[in-house]
Amino acid sequence: MKILALSLLRIGDFFQQVHLFQQVLTQFPKGELHLVCFSDIKGVEKLYPNWKFHFIPRNAIQRELVERDRPWYRGLYLMEESLHSVFSTEWQLVLNPTNSSFSARLMDCIQGADKRGTQFKDGQTAGWNQELHYLNDYYRSLPKPEETWIEITSKALGFSLPPAPPIRLREQGEIWLNPLTSDSRKNWPFANWKSLANIFVELNHKVRILGSPGERDWIAKHFPKVNCGAWSFSELRDQAENCRLLISGDTSVPHLLALERVPMITLFLGPANTYKTSPRLSGISNLCVKVPCGPCEHRGTCSQPTQICEDSIRVREVVQVAQVHLQERPANQVILGPEVFWIDAKGERHEKESVRRGSPSRGSTSTMAG
Amino acid sequence: MVDLPTRDGLRLCSHVNPQGEAQIWADSILGASAGQWIVLGVGAGFHLRALTLRFPEDEFLFLDFDANVELRAPIGDRKKIIILEPLFESGQVFNQVILNCLKTGFRVISFKPSWSGLETNFRRIESLLLGHQGECNPLLSADAGLKKAFFSVPATLEINIKSITETDQTNPSIRWRRLRALRELVT
């Protein structure tokens, strides 16, 4: 059975979609999975050798379409070259977990017996169901939906994901810090990462700073006292067993390492929304902020004179939550500041009581006064 | 003073400072290396030399309609000059020029002074290479639906992907649907 899925988002979204793809293959164990992705995320190909990837050179196509001294029809040529086998195959199942205008139009160019997800058919929108309407019309505006993005996306395509798997505890290993994300609004201040690294070193933990291979010199310069993990995604996955605890912003790394069931603390800042894109793993912690402007829109810039959310999570809060994961501190001794809430390993939300009274919480809470 | 060529008495470059004019033209080209350039108009060759020096790693294809071009500046080995017939067939140019460059991609640039006396021909080849409305190359005209959409764009509007897919079609052709998808990448 030939199955095609359009995965035309960023790399972190791809790693979230892997849960869906695994579920699809559980349901169709003899299925041959093909994926259409943008070439920006070509690095994932090595991670899944059993899946067939078709990469669209988006940047090159966009350049052909917008630069006046280039022939715009070469954009069409590049698309047809990169998707030649996709367009010429009669697929049994075509899935669109991307939900973008481009992917919906692309669905109209693909031949398939069973096409699911946002799509056009002969130039008109088609294929709607209740979940797709919910996802398309309401989900984006919901601050605290009951299901994560990948859960509702999977449902819209007719697949229910199993419960999130539990973390796999490591008795030994390093604490990995991943300071950079692709969006500056999701970044926690660099000085905080430095302090965090120093504190863990003083507490006799082995610390490693993660980054891409191109960031090796940058890491060595700014974190001379700790190990450097400037790795490709396949190297990162190969080393995952050595990670006792990951601390990261909301970026691709926690989503990849969630597939390896690595214990982690994720910091949700700027547009990152813990209720939508929490790593799909039970037993992890998410530290989030309560600011009037957040979570902000995914596209755009910070609306505030200074990014107030990045200063809301303090180093001591991260250290204390990490100590809970490392079983060095009981959970009830975590002291949270007024702008922070913590979703703990059991999925319970903790926040400072005085703030909760002023701003009613929508979820289950247990108070941990500081 | 170098003896500079003319066409029907018209100058093909500055006769005062051709090197300076060529340098200003080459410096005005925005963007990075193209890999492959198609330059419309050979003239006396000063602008070709300036361009090849500015992009030393690139390949160059120079097109002209004048079989009597007289180069006054050395332009190196990374070049090929094609002299076209004034009434060229678009299919022939597509096979001879465009097909060879489609894989690598190319930029089309013009040195307008060298068009003197042959402006209509040069405008036509530029239109064909860039996919403007005046000429529809075989890549586009093979699809009847797309060809129709292509020529339904007002003559005053230079063709781009938005204008060609502006109106939704009933039973759109495969090519039109692909173009409609591509439009989403730039809107």
Side-chain angles (χ1 to χ4, degrees), chain B residues 85-150:
Chain B
E85 294 293 328
L87 298 174
F88 64 88
E89 287 187 17
S90 55
Q92 188 187 354
V93 171
F94 183 78
N95 291 327
Q96 197 178 350
V97 178
I98 297 178
L99 266 186
N100 292 330
C101 300
L102 262 182
K103 201 171 179 67
T104 54
F106 58 93
R107 289 176 70 179
V108 180
I109 53 168
S110 303
F111 183 67
K112 294 284 174 71
S114 67
W115 290 17
S116 296
L118 293 167
E119 288 88 347
T120 307
N121 296 340
F122 275 111
R123 270 197 292 274
R124 197 182 147 213
I125 188 72
E126 183 182 49
S127 177
L128 173 65
L129 292 170
L130 289 174
H132 293 173
Q133 194 191 20
E135 289 283 343
C136 187
N137 74 43
L139 186 73
L140 306 172
S141 59
D143 182 313
L146 191 59
K147 190 175 181 181
K148 188 179 169 190
F150 191 90

Side-chain angles (χ1 to χ4, degrees), chain A residues 321-342:
Chain A
V321 171
Q323 287 176 318
V324 172
H325 277 271
L326 299 168
Q327 298 176 333
E328 295 170 350
R329 177 187 288 262
N332 61 5
Q333 283 183 14
V334 173
I335 299 169
L336 296 170
E339 304 96 353
V340 179
F341 67 92
W342 168 36

Side-chain angles (χ1 to χ4, degrees), chain B residues 11-179:
Chain B
R11 294 176 177 185
L12 303 178
C13 61
S14 165
H15 281 213
V16 178
N17 182 5
Q19 292 95 339
E21 177 192 53
Q23 195 59 53
I24 290 169
W25 174 81
D27 290 344
S28 72
I29 295 167
L30 299 175
S33 159
Q36 173 73 57
W37 297 83
I38 297 180
V39 186
L40 304 183
V42 169
F46 292 102
H47 64 289
L48 308 182
R49 175 170 169 76
L51 186 68
T52 54
L53 289 176
R54 183 169 167 202
F55 299 101
E57 305 296 323
D58 288 6
E59 299 290 324
F60 300 89
L61 177 59
F62 305 124
L63 299 185
D64 209 303
F65 294 93
D66 188 346
N68 301 315
V69 290
E70 297 172 50
L71 294 176
R72 296 290 191 271
I75 56 174
D77 299 330
R78 292 168 294 108
K79 52 86 174 85
K80 183 179 175 187
I81 297 178
I82 294 181
I83 305 298
L84 299 165
E85 294 293 328
L87 298 174
F88 64 88
E89 287 187 17
S90 55
Q92 188 187 354
V93 171
F94 183 78
N95 291 327
Q96 197 178 350
V97 178
I98 297 178
L99 266 186
N100 292 330
C101 300
L102 262 182
K103 201 171 179 67
T104 54
F106 58 93
R107 289 176 70 179
V108 180
I109 53 168
S110 303
F111 183 67
K112 294 284 174 71
S114 67
W115 290 17
S116 296
L118 293 167
E119 288 88 347
T120 307
N121 296 340
F122 275 111
R123 270 197 292 274
R124 197 182 147 213
I125 188 72
E126 183 182 49
S127 177
L128 173 65
L129 292 170
L130 289 174
H132 293 173
Q133 194 191 20
E135 289 283 343
C136 187
N137 74 43
L139 186 73
L140 306 172
S141 59
D143 182 313
L146 191 59
K147 190 175 181 181
K148 188 179 169 190
F150 191 90
F151 284 107
S152 69
V153 176
T156 50
L157 188 65
E158 191 176 84
I159 287 272
N160 61 35
I161 197 162
K162 188 174 178 217
S163 56
I164 206 171
T165 57
E166 191 76 334
T167 312
D168 280 351
Q169 298 184 350
T170 51
N171 289 324
S173 68
I174 285 287
R175 272 262 163 80
W176 186 90
R177 280 184 259 178
R178 292 173 189 172
L179 273 182

Side-chain angles (χ1 to χ4, degrees), chain A residues 117-133:
Chain A
T118 314
Q119 60 188 279
F120 280 79
K121 186 175 186 327
D122 296 331
Q124 308 296 318
T125 59
W128 292 103
N129 60 31
Q130 198 176 340
E131 287 82 10
L132 262 185
H133 271 298

Side-chain angles (χ1 to χ4, degrees), chain A residues 38 61-62 65-66 68-77 79-80 87 101-102 105 108-109 122, chain B residues 98 102-108 129-131 137 139 158-159 172 175 177-178 180-182 184-186:
Chain A
F38 288 128
I61 289 175
Q62 286 175 326
L65 296 179
V66 300
R68 290 180 64 85
D69 60 7
R70 290 180 185 273
W72 63 270
Y73 54 84
R74 187 167 180 267
L76 178 67
Y77 168 84
M79 181 202 208
E80 293 185 340
F87 289 153
S101 304
F102 174 64
R105 289 284 181 182
D108 201 10
C109 309
D122 296 331
Chain B
I98 297 178
L102 262 182
K103 201 171 179 67
T104 54
F106 58 93
R107 289 176 70 179
V108 180
L129 292 170
L130 289 174
N137 74 43
L139 186 73
E158 191 176 84
I159 287 272
R175 272 262 163 80
R177 280 184 259 178
R178 292 173 189 172
R180 191 63 189 76
L182 282 184
E184 300 297 342
L185 290 182
V186 287

Side-chain angles (χ1 to χ4, degrees), chain A residues 109-351:
Chain A
C109 309
I110 295 166
Q111 306 167 70
D114 182 3
K115 291 161 84 168
R116 304 183 196 177
T118 314
Q119 60 188 279
F120 280 79
K121 186 175 186 327
D122 296 331
Q124 308 296 318
T125 59
W128 292 103
N129 60 31
Q130 198 176 340
E131 287 82 10
L132 262 185
H133 271 298
Y134 171 69
L135 187 63
N136 203 57
D137 301 341
Y138 303 109
Y139 191 78
R140 192 174 157 205
S141 61
L142 296 176
K144 192 182 168 190
E146 290 184 357
E147 291 169 295
T148 62
W149 166 75
I150 191 57
E151 285 168 345
I152 188 67
T153 297
S154 301
K155 266 189 188 175
L157 301 177
F159 297 91
S160 286
L161 297 183
I167 54 170
R168 199 162 50 230
L169 286 171
R170 280 87 162 159
E171 294 296 322
Q172 303 290 322
E174 300 171 332
I175 295 175
W176 287 1
L177 308 182
N178 182 44
L180 296 175
T181 74
S182 59
D183 184 338
S184 61
R185 293 172 301 158
K186 291 183 180 178
N187 284 345
W188 199 40
F190 182 58
N192 289 358
W193 288 106
K194 277 191 158 179
S195 302
L196 199 60
N198 289 337
I199 289 170
F200 285 130
V201 168
E202 283 172 19
L203 292 171
N204 291 322
H205 288 292
K206 289 178 187 166
V207 176
R208 187 178 293 275
I209 305 295
L210 301 185
S212 68
E215 290 161 352
R216 185 179 304 278
D217 292 343
W218 180 86
I219 293 172
K221 181 182 170 190
H222 293 286
F223 297 91
K225 292 180 186 170
V226 298
N227 293 320
C228 168
W231 292 324
S232 66
F233 283 116
S234 55
E235 290 169 327
L236 187 64
R237 187 175 69 175
D238 292 345
Q239 296 290 333
E241 280 309 307
N242 298 324
C243 179
R244 193 175 173 201
L245 179 67
L246 167 73
I247 303 174
S248 172
D250 177 35
T251 184
S252 54
V253 170
H255 292 297
L256 171 61
L257 293 181
L259 292 160
E260 303 304 312
R261 296 164 62 184
V262 170
M264 64 181 75
I265 300 167
T266 313
L267 312 182
F268 283 83
L269 298 167
N273 184 330
T274 185
Y275 297 102
K276 293 182 178 177
T277 59
S278 172
R280 191 170 164 70
L281 195 60
S282 70
I284 62 171
S285 277
N286 292 338
L287 273 168
C288 317
V289 293
K290 297 177 288 185
V291 289
C293 55
C296 46
E297 284 289 318
H298 264 284
R299 289 180 183 177
T301 53
C302 180
S303 61
Q304 305 297 325
T306 60
Q307 194 176 325
I308 52 177
C309 61
E310 69 175 2
D311 294 322
S312 300
I313 299 176
R314 293 163 185 84
V315 173
R316 69 169 163 77
E317 289 156 344
V318 179
V319 172
Q320 289 174 6
V321 171
Q323 287 176 318
V324 172
H325 277 271
L326 299 168
Q327 298 176 333
E328 295 170 350
R329 177 187 288 262
N332 61 5
Q333 283 183 14
V334 173
I335 299 169
L336 296 170
E339 304 96 353
V340 179
F341 67 92
W342 168 36
I343 298 189
D344 71 9
K346 293 173 185 167
E348 290 179 359
R349 174 169 164 151
H350 305 266
E351 59 190 311

